[in-house]
Amino acid sequence: MPLIALAVACLFAVTLSYAGMCAASPFGTCRRCNGFGFAMDTDRKGRPKRGKSCRRCKATGKRIRAGRWLFNRAQRIYREGTR
């Protein structure tokens, strides 16, 4: 029984820390372009150059975190339901 309580406490701590991170920093770096806002490409000599703009983050280099997206969605549903 203490092992289950320890597992629940660990999950609760991880959930609280993720919620705090989503509240403090709602945007993270885009995983596709690594925060550049564009894909890195190389020219014929092998030197890096700027590629196409990232479609996932719309060339901002930032994306909204999953927890913040869920929070925003819940807030919107609540707000529309209490009008």
Side-chain angles (χ1 to χ4, degrees), residues 40-59:
M40 290 300 292
D41 206 5
T42 56
D43 61 2
R44 295 190 321 179
K45 294 182 180 178
R47 292 182 297 211
K49 67 174 189 171
R50 181 187 168 116
K52 291 183 178 181
S53 296
C54 181
R55 290 176 14 187
R56 178 179 284 177
C57 65
K58 298 180 181 81

Side-chain angles (χ1 to χ4, degrees), residues 14-78:
V14 168
T15 303
L16 276 180
S17 63
Y18 183 69
M21 184 176 64
C22 286
S25 174
F27 296 99
T29 57
C30 179
R31 288 188 291 260
R32 180 174 284 180
C33 64
N34 293 325
F36 286 124
F38 52 87
M40 290 300 292
D41 206 5
T42 56
D43 61 2
R44 295 190 321 179
K45 294 182 180 178
R47 292 182 297 211
K49 67 174 189 171
R50 181 187 168 116
K52 291 183 178 181
S53 296
C54 181
R55 290 176 14 187
R56 178 179 284 177
C57 65
K58 298 180 181 81
T60 61
K62 297 290 183 184
R63 63 166 178 85
I64 194 159
R65 295 186 193 276
R68 187 61 183 208
W69 182 85
L70 287 172
F71 177 76
N72 289 348
R73 181 64 51 119
Q75 285 290 100
R76 187 175 305 124
I77 290 170
Y78 176 77

